[in-house]
Amino acid sequence: MKIGLLGGSFDPVHLGHIRIAQDAIASLHLDSFWFIPTKHNPWKENVTASNTDRINMLKLAISNQEKMQVSTIEINQVSNEKNYTIDTLHTLTSCYPDDQFYFLMGMDQACAFEKWKSAKDISKLVQLVAFNRGGYPEDHENLKKYHFLKMDNPAITASSTEIKDGAIQMLDPSVLHYISLHGLYLDSMIKNRMHKKRYLHSLSVAKLTAEFAKNNGLDERKGYIAGVMHDVAKEMPIEKALKLMQEYYPEYIDKPKPIWHQWLSSYVCEKEFLIDDKEILKAIEDHTTASTTISKLGKCLYCADKLDPLRGYDSSSDIALCNKDIDAGFRKSLQSFYDFSKANNREIDPVFFKIYHKFIGEMKWKN
């Protein structure tokens, strides 16, 4: 058999990886194509996702690709030493002596191939194949020196780094869904959607919501996701926000614009990040005003948002209460909101009194 090989961190796998595999299968007439996620990449010090997550994302990305599969040859190695291609290829060629291997790499790596461990030996063990990468030359002296085959593919521009910076359009939808519901990379994906102060607030709220959830017997992961994403639409341009509110949330269009983001953030989570967990989405929708149908997870997020230590006041006693009993902490937060609003002559939305009545009881003060 003719087998294509592509190694890497796949942290995460993106559409560019799948596209180049498809092109290689077609142009090189391959019988099979193996993705080899590395356990310890010699070229990268830090990998964000776990081995299990990276394998799961790869399997999702190739689920409808008949000739593609994932090889865990490097992930399964007992040693914690860095994975070197020469060692992997020695193993593969020994195990499959009758197969012909085609080892692919982008022109970024082909141009620096002389730096690889045992580069000449690699070129003798397998057929090297280079493919075009955006921002790199389409030719190099290494191609001839190490006997590369050169693919004539449209340059691959997608990169895992860009995805972590928010370029989620480079992901297969099934992979994006997995990422979002496992809370992977979200902290970096949202960074470019908001100013630094709000970004730091989002990270702080995510940590606190997860803490409240864990200490109240709830799903810590869901708490983190709801917390990190709760303000994702806070800085959405007003023209876009108005259009979305008119189309999807007309019943709230007359609410103050500063609270629109609780519904719009839920919209962005569902439509852009493909989060379909109703509990997370509902918690985000309730995080500013609360509601009579707020869940325990919603209470965790509501309180974490109000008690975020970065807000600049001592909220330690209220945080301790929430960690002990989120229902009690939520009631305390509602009472604190009412007291603060009355003391500062701030208008209170009528729906608040329905929430207050349900969770605390009869209002003892005049509106």
Side-chain angles (χ1 to χ4, degrees):
M1 290 207 316
K2 297 171 66 177
I3 302 172
L5 305 174
L6 182 63
S9 296
F10 303 110
D11 187 30
V13 59
H14 53 68
L15 293 175
H17 293 131
I18 307 305
R19 192 171 300 120
I20 199 61
Q22 292 170 332
D23 289 348
I25 290 170
S27 63
L28 301 173
H29 308 289
L30 302 178
D31 299 296
S32 186
F33 193 98
W34 299 359
F35 291 91
I36 307 177
T38 184
K39 187 176 182 179
H40 296 294
N41 193 326
W43 299 94
K44 295 181 180 179
E45 291 299 324
N46 298 312
V47 174
T48 303
S50 69
N51 294 338
T52 299
D53 284 330
R54 290 186 292 127
I55 290 170
N56 287 341
M57 287 187 284
L58 272 166
K59 288 181 177 179
L60 286 170
I62 65 173
S63 60
N64 61 347
Q65 303 292 333
E66 184 179 352
K67 291 188 175 182
M68 298 183 197
Q69 64 184 66
V70 180
S71 168
T72 56
I73 184 173
E74 293 188 359
I75 292 290
N76 293 339
Q77 73 171 23
V78 176
S79 170
N80 282 321
E81 297 296 321
K82 289 187 179 293
N83 298 121
Y84 288 100
T85 299
I86 185 63
D87 300 324
T88 300
L89 294 180
H90 273 307
T91 301
L92 288 175
T93 53
S94 295
C95 292
Y96 306 96
D98 297 327
D99 295 323
Q100 183 178 2
F101 290 101
Y102 293 72
F103 189 86
L104 276 72
M105 67 181 71
M107 281 301 296
D108 53 331
Q109 292 294 338
C111 291
F113 188 64
E114 74 280 359
K115 298 178 182 178
W116 285 40
K117 181 180 178 181
S118 305
K120 286 186 178 180
D121 291 336
I122 291 174
S123 69
K124 295 175 183 178
L125 276 175
V126 296
Q127 174 60 63
L128 293 171
V129 181
F131 58 86
N132 294 321
R133 285 288 307 269
Y136 292 90
E138 295 188 5
D139 195 13
H140 190 274
E141 60 183 12
N142 279 350
L143 299 185
K144 183 177 181 179
K145 181 178 179 181
Y146 295 102
H147 313 293
F148 276 85
L149 291 179
K150 176 64 170 51
M151 292 177 59
D152 186 27
N153 64 290
I156 300 298
T157 56
S159 75
S160 298
T161 299
E162 289 178 274
I163 290 167
K164 291 173 187 175
D165 288 340
I168 57 178
Q169 72 278 5
M170 296 177 177
L171 292 166
D172 181 274
S174 64
V175 175
L176 175 57
H177 179 260
Y178 184 95
I179 285 170
S180 294
L181 288 187
H182 286 78
L184 303 175
Y185 319 115
L186 294 180
D187 56 347
S188 61
M189 284 179 169
I190 67 166
K191 188 173 184 179
N192 291 329
R193 292 176 180 247
M194 57 191 71
H195 288 95
K196 183 178 180 180
K197 184 177 181 180
R198 181 160 291 113
Y199 175 66
L200 294 176
H201 165 72
S202 296
L203 298 187
S204 182
V205 170
K207 180 180 178 181
L208 193 55
T209 307
E211 179 183 316
F212 289 166
K214 179 181 180 181
N215 289 325
N216 284 273
L218 304 175
D219 191 324
E220 181 180 2
R221 175 184 53 83
K222 287 188 180 185
Y224 170 80
I225 295 168
V228 80
M229 299 299 288
H230 81 286
D231 272 355
V232 71
K234 182 77 170 180
E235 297 181 26
M236 180 182 289
I238 188 60
E239 297 82 5
K240 181 178 179 180
L242 177 59
K243 182 178 180 181
L244 291 175
M245 289 297 294
Q246 289 172 333
E247 184 173 357
Y248 295 99
Y249 307 101
E251 68 272 32
Y252 301 121
I253 196 71
D254 293 329
K255 296 292 185 183
K257 290 182 177 62
I259 68 170
W260 283 3
H261 74 282
Q262 67 180 14
W263 299 291
L264 296 176
S265 290
S266 178
Y267 172 88
V268 169
C269 286
E270 182 176 12
K271 302 301 183 182
E272 295 186 30
F273 285 83
L274 306 185
I275 295 174
D276 56 4
D277 187 296
K278 299 303 181 184
E279 189 178 15
I280 293 174
L281 298 175
K282 181 65 164 60
I284 292 173
E285 286 190 6
D286 289 342
H287 85 266
T288 300
T289 60
S291 74
T292 56
T293 57
I294 192 170
S295 67
K296 276 203 170 187
L297 182 68
K299 292 176 183 179
C300 291
L301 177 56
Y302 178 90
C303 293
D305 187 31
K306 304 297 183 289
L307 302 176
D308 174 20
L310 295 183
R311 289 192 181 277
Y313 65 92
D314 184 7
S315 56
S316 56
S317 61
D318 288 340
I319 288 175
L321 177 60
C322 289
N323 275 318
K324 182 179 180 181
D325 183 348
I326 192 59
D327 294 319
F330 177 66
R331 292 193 295 270
K332 177 71 181 299
S333 288
L334 290 178
Q335 189 65 62
S336 297
F337 171 81
Y338 177 81
D339 293 342
F340 177 83
S341 298
K342 294 298 286 185
N344 290 276
N345 295 314
R346 290 192 175 185
E347 183 178 356
I348 301 177
D349 191 312
V351 74
F352 172 81
F353 298 104
K354 295 180 181 179
I355 299 168
Y356 187 101
H357 184 269
K358 177 173 182 178
F359 292 104
I360 297 181
E362 191 68 30
M363 183 69 70
K364 297 181 181 179
W365 302 272
K366 292 183 179 180
N367 301 343

